[in-house]
């Protein structure tokens, strides 16, 4: 699949790049996409939710009413789960929600996500660029020129570029990351991928080990 290379003014440079078929042209595997997204979201969870059980609630341990003869349900002390203000039965406890996925599964998931974007024609390749200084207005102009303003955008750079990152940091629905840190969730969550030429080489190097 060939894609025209644009500059940051949205104009064609006259060059074309061929997207690697083994990365951008495979048959997507929906199940591994589900697993990769599930793992990513699980890893974001703090796992600090905690409720007090009966033994942890502050209150007297005196039995409130006699066991039989009262005409109502039996109950113990004021910490009983059946009473308002009592302990909670089987409440949440701090835990680690993360789980392991095999490397080959995560690799296939990233390839599947990129293949979906290629099928949707949601990939734009631009020549490498940088800014002299951090300026949000400059980045907004780039999105306008590329006709992706207002869409959920993921920009992939070959390496850390502080000026580009700071220029895009305050924009909603826009994210900048390095190609080596690419993950399935970020690709699927974006409406359009903007990839620099050098980033394509980095993606090939990472996903075709």
């Amino acid at each position: 699949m060939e894609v025209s290379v644009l500059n940051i003014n949205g104009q064609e440079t006259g060059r074309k790049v061929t997207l690697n078929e083994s990365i951008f042209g495979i048959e997507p595997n929906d199940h591994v996409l589900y697993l990769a997204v599930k793992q990513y979201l699980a890893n974001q969870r703090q796992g600090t939710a905690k409720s007090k059980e009966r033994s942890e609630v502050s209150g007297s341990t005196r039995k409130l009413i006699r066991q039989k003869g009262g005409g109502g349900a039996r109950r113990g002390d004021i910490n009983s789960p059946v009473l308002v203000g009592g302990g909670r039965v089987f409440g949440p406890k701090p835990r680690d929600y993360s789980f392991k996925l095999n490397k080959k599964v995560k690799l296939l998931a990233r390839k599947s996500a990129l293949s979906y974007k290629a099928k949707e024609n949601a990939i734009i390749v631009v020549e490498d660029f940088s800014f002299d200084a951090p300026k949000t207005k400059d980045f907004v102009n780039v999105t306008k020129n590329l006709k992706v303003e207002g869409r959920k955008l993921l920009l992939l750079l070959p390496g850390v570029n502080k000026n580009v990152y700071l220029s895009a940091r305050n924009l909603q629905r826009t994210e900048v990351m390095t190609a080596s840190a690419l993950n399935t969730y970020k690709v699927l969550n974006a409406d359009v991928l903007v990839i620099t030429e050098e980033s394509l080489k980095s993606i090939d190097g990472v996903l075709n080990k």
Side-chain angles (χ1 to χ4, degrees):
M1 179 180 177
E2 286 193 339
V3 180
S4 296
V5 179
L6 308 179
N7 58 27
I8 58 175
N9 296 318
Q11 301 164 339
E12 290 195 13
T13 60
R15 300 195 310 279
K16 289 189 175 183
V17 292
T18 302
L19 299 182
N20 193 327
E21 283 294 317
S22 65
I23 296 176
F24 295 91
I26 70 167
E27 184 61 34
N29 187 317
D30 290 338
H31 184 62
V32 298
L33 287 173
Y34 157 75
L35 290 175
V37 170
K38 182 181 178 182
Q39 185 199 39
Y40 177 84
L41 294 177
N43 290 345
Q44 305 307 302
R45 299 185 67 172
Q46 289 184 324
T48 55
K50 173 73 172 71
S51 66
K52 290 187 177 181
E53 295 186 347
R54 182 171 187 160
S55 62
E56 299 169 314
V57 175
S58 178
S60 173
T61 57
R62 178 179 66 88
K63 188 171 174 63
L64 297 177
I65 60 173
R66 56 187 295 184
Q67 180 81 349
K68 291 177 176 288
R74 58 190 175 182
R75 69 187 71 162
D77 55 43
I78 202 169
N79 305 325
S80 171
V82 301
L83 298 176
V84 175
R88 182 173 172 184
V89 181
F90 304 127
K93 294 181 178 180
R95 53 166 288 196
D96 181 12
Y97 286 90
S98 63
F99 62 93
K100 178 182 177 297
L101 274 185
N102 291 335
K103 288 182 180 179
K104 289 184 179 179
V105 172
K106 292 194 283 188
L107 192 67
L108 179 58
R110 279 179 285 178
K111 289 182 179 181
S112 296
L114 291 170
S115 293
Y116 263 128
K117 292 303 176 187
K119 285 185 176 182
E120 297 165 0
N121 292 319
I123 294 179
I124 297 174
V125 179
V126 298
E127 62 182 4
D128 298 314
F129 70 95
S130 183
F131 296 141
D132 295 331
K135 200 166 186 181
T136 303
K137 185 177 180 181
D138 290 344
F139 194 91
V140 171
N141 288 334
V142 172
T143 62
K144 288 180 179 178
N145 294 336
L146 297 176
K147 299 179 181 178
V148 294
E149 186 184 19
R151 300 178 68 187
K152 200 176 284 186
L153 169 69
L154 176 62
L155 172 63
L156 297 179
L157 299 174
V160 177
N161 189 316
K162 189 174 180 180
N163 287 344
V164 174
Y165 170 75
L166 292 177
S167 299
R169 185 173 58 175
N170 288 336
L171 296 176
Q172 291 182 337
R173 300 166 65 84
T174 300
E175 188 157 1
V176 177
M177 64 190 307
T178 60
S180 59
L182 184 70
N183 68 68
T184 304
Y185 177 82
K186 296 294 186 183
V187 174
L188 293 177
N189 191 45
D191 292 331
V192 60
L193 299 183
V194 177
I195 309 176
T196 64
E197 287 184 275
E198 281 298 318
S199 295
L200 281 177
K201 298 177 183 177
S202 298
I203 292 173
D204 283 349
V206 170
L207 300 186
N208 271 336
K209 288 181 180 178

